[in-house]
């Protein structure tokens, strides 16, 4: 299952599973799925959406921006082990286990073209 791990100064604070078809919101407000209590984080900072066979993180016009692998993004397709920086907190994306199970399921259903797309776009 895909997993988003919230870290601060190399300490794991919490892990958040994300299912296909789900959305996770990230921000300082308590209404978010992932609450990051830091003044550098906007109330509604970013969102991770499950889109088809991938997960996309989108910055919600936050004040300080959302970074993936040290690059400022507005939207980004997450790959295994991407490091998301929001304020001073890191979120690590783990999508490999999900990808492997999804590829097996899709091969059984005869969806080989889609399997090739997943390999190219999600990574190892």
């Amino acid at each position: 299952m895909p997993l988003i791990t919230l870290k601060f100064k190399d300490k794991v604070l919490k892990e958040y599973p994300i299912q296909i078809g789900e959305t996770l919101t990230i921000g300082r407000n308590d209404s978010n799925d992932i609450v990051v209590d830091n003044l550098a984080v906007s109330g509604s900072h970013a969102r991770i959406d499950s889109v088809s066979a991938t997960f996309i993180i989108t910055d919600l016009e936050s004040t300080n921006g959302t970074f993936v692998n040290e690059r400022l993004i507005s939207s980004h397709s997450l790959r295994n082990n991407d490091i998301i920086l929001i304020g001073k907190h890191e979120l690590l994306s783990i999508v490999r286990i999900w990808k492997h199970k999804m590829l097996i399921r899709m091969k059984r259903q005869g969806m080989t073209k889609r399997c090739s797309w997943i390999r190219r776009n999600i990574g190892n």
Side-chain angles (χ1 to χ4, degrees):
M1 171 183 304
L3 195 63
I4 304 296
T5 303
L6 177 64
K7 295 170 66 177
F8 182 71
K9 294 185 178 179
D10 293 326
K11 181 181 178 192
V12 173
L13 301 179
K14 192 167 180 182
E15 294 183 330
Y16 299 87
I18 183 168
Q19 304 269 342
I20 296 169
E22 275 189 352
T23 294
L24 288 180
T25 57
I26 306 164
R28 202 172 64 240
N29 293 338
D30 289 335
S31 60
N32 288 290
D33 300 303
I34 300 175
V35 177
V36 181
D37 187 20
N38 183 289
L39 292 176
V41 178
S42 296
S44 295
H45 196 102
R47 179 182 70 236
I48 299 173
D49 295 301
S50 168
V51 178
S52 194
T54 192
F55 292 92
I56 298 175
I57 185 163
T58 304
D59 183 80
L60 300 176
E61 298 181 10
S62 64
T63 303
N64 294 314
T66 300
F67 295 79
V68 177
N69 302 326
E70 300 181 356
R71 289 188 170 172
L72 181 64
I73 60 98
S74 56
S75 184
H76 177 83
S77 253
L78 290 174
R79 296 174 64 99
N80 196 51
N81 293 323
D82 273 347
I83 297 173
I84 304 160
L85 185 64
I86 293 182
K88 295 186 182 214
H89 288 70
E90 286 183 356
L91 293 105
L92 177 66
S93 69
I94 305 293
V95 296
R96 181 179 302 154
I97 296 168
W98 169 81
K99 177 190 159 192
H100 177 72
K101 288 180 181 177
M102 184 64 146
L103 286 172
I104 291 170
R105 187 177 310 134
M106 292 173 82
K107 279 184 181 179
R108 286 182 186 152
Q109 295 174 356
M111 299 179 180
T112 53
K113 283 186 180 179
R114 209 171 261 177
C115 290
S116 297
W117 184 92
I118 291 171
R119 282 193 192 94
R120 282 192 316 274
N121 291 285
I122 297 180
N124 295 328

